[in-house]
Amino acid sequence: MAAHEARKVLRGAGEATVEVRLGSGVTVGGGAFTVIAGPCALENADQVEKAATAVKLAGAHVLRGGAFKPRTSPYSFQGLGEMGLQLLAEQGKRHRMPVVSEVMDVSQLALMLDYVDVLQIGARNMHNFSLLREVAKTNRPVVLKRGFGATLEEWLLAAEYLLDGGNDQVILCERGIRSFDNTLRNTLDLAGMAWVKERSRLPVIVDPSHSTGVRSLVIPMALAAAAAGADGIMVEVHPAPEAAMCDGPQALTPEMFGSLMQTLPALLHATGRALARPEALAAVGGASR
Ligand code: PEP
Ligand code: MN
């Protein structure tokens, strides 16, 4: 990458990874491994409540859920919009977990800021430079997903837009790319993730759900991401995946997610790391708003 193109996103000699603060004492990039979990789409109050309770009990740090869904077909479920954001924020407060949700368009930004701790920019919007510029102005932490057709350099330059606009609270998320092989939904570029970790000062997480599209591969790829040095994962969990309105085939059941969270500490330990502290675990079941 030419030095004049990307500056702020690159790691200077000996420079530490930026520690991104998500709220409720949860950070990404400080060395520990952070887990973001929840359903692909927010569907209804019962589903969001069950998903939030399950991921919190298992030890997740951040709750995810899409209210505005970028679907390939206009006839697929498009998300609950503001009602979904309300449900997400309510469960985040109840379980003292910061919440993250995707902003698809500049026009949604003001609304999103009322409800979410962390803004997600999706793979389909990584090249939306006007959205990047507006999100940069918010100073809200951002999860920036890699476009499925984007090179590593293009991904870093998209992050550069956020940093150049004054927001360095950026987490990069590898979510799989399109390759010649369409057997799986996407091709998880773990080596690309590790390359970006070396070169960028930003924390990098992995999404083992969209990068595989296959439930049985999510746990192995989550563990591989941890072994390869990722700062965390973003994983889809649904209380009843067979009934999911979006991405059911790749959603972990609460039981599977629990088992992943049980396995991660030993694997992280082998590489001298640990799970981030479950900051507010005592708050499970508590209802402070
Ligand atoms: C998502 O995380 O819900 C999502 C739509 O992911 P991506 O933008 O990576 O496809
Ligand atoms: Mn999804």
Side-chain angles (χ1 to χ4, degrees):
M1 181 179 297
H4 65 276
E5 285 192 316
R7 297 176 188 157
K8 302 182 173 81
V9 77
L10 297 181
R11 192 192 289 280
E15 194 179 356
T17 299
V18 172
E19 188 164 1
V20 178
R21 296 171 301 279
L22 305 184
S24 301
V26 177
T27 67
V28 181
F33 193 81
T34 305
V35 177
I36 304 172
C40 176
L42 304 155
E43 298 172 7
N44 56 63
D46 183 58
Q47 176 246 15
V48 181
E49 193 272 324
K50 285 190 170 120
T53 304
V55 301
K56 179 67 185 192
L57 272 172
H61 306 97
V62 182
L63 180 63
R64 66 149 284 151
F68 297 102
K69 295 304 302 176
R71 303 304 298 277
T72 301
S73 165
Y75 307 119
S76 300
F77 176 57
Q78 303 284 304
L80 291 181
E82 183 169 8
M83 196 207 298
L85 294 173
Q86 282 167 357
L87 297 172
L88 182 70
E90 187 181 306
Q91 290 302 319
K93 286 204 182 73
R94 174 162 175 240
H95 294 289
R96 301 216 188 129
M97 276 189 284
V99 299
V100 57
S101 197
E102 176 170 351
V103 56
M104 275 174 61
D105 189 84
V106 170
S107 64
Q108 297 160 355
L109 194 50
L111 177 70
M112 301 287 305
L113 292 174
D114 285 344
Y115 293 103
V116 305
D117 303 286
V118 184
L119 294 163
Q120 179 172 323
I121 297 181
R124 289 156 193 79
N125 261 316
M126 190 210 82
H127 291 291
N128 185 338
F129 301 116
S130 43
L131 179 62
L132 293 168
R133 286 269 188 227
E134 288 305 311
V135 166
K137 290 181 197 158
T138 67
N139 292 321
R140 199 66 59 96
V142 184
V143 172
L144 176 63
K145 291 193 135 193
R146 179 183 182 184
F148 43 69
T151 64
L152 297 171
E153 180 172 344
E154 287 164 345
W155 188 21
L156 289 178
L157 284 169
E160 188 80 14
Y161 269 87
L162 295 167
L163 272 62
D164 185 53
N167 186 351
D168 80 341
Q169 293 290 288
V170 179
I171 301 161
L172 297 167
C173 180
E174 160 62 28
R175 49 78 73 209
I177 52 174
R178 287 260 168 98
S179 74
F180 63 88
D181 191 339
N182 61 3
T183 310
L184 299 176
R185 184 172 183 183
N186 288 288
T187 297
L188 174 56
D189 186 6
L190 267 189
M193 181 284 294
W195 184 90
V196 166
K197 267 286 310 157
E198 276 183 14
R199 278 157 188 82
S200 174
R201 49 197 283 271
L202 298 177
V204 189
I205 64 172
V206 167
D207 171 347
S209 307
H210 294 89
S211 57
T212 60
V214 181
R215 179 175 307 117
S216 63
L217 299 179
V218 170
I219 292 178
M221 291 306 101
L223 297 175
D231 293 285
I233 47 172
M234 173 184 270
V235 58
E236 290 186 346
V237 180
H238 195 288
E242 66 290 348
M245 297 176 80
C246 185
D247 286 351
Q250 69 192 32
L252 292 185
T253 62
E255 293 71 28
M256 289 176 85
F257 180 66
S259 129
L260 169 62
M261 294 303 288
Q262 297 283 314
T263 310
L264 272 170
L267 190 127
L268 289 163
H269 184 72
T271 53
R273 299 202 299 152
L275 272 180
R277 272 184 51 225
E279 207 59 44
L281 205 55
V284 171
S288 109
R289 297 232 165 148

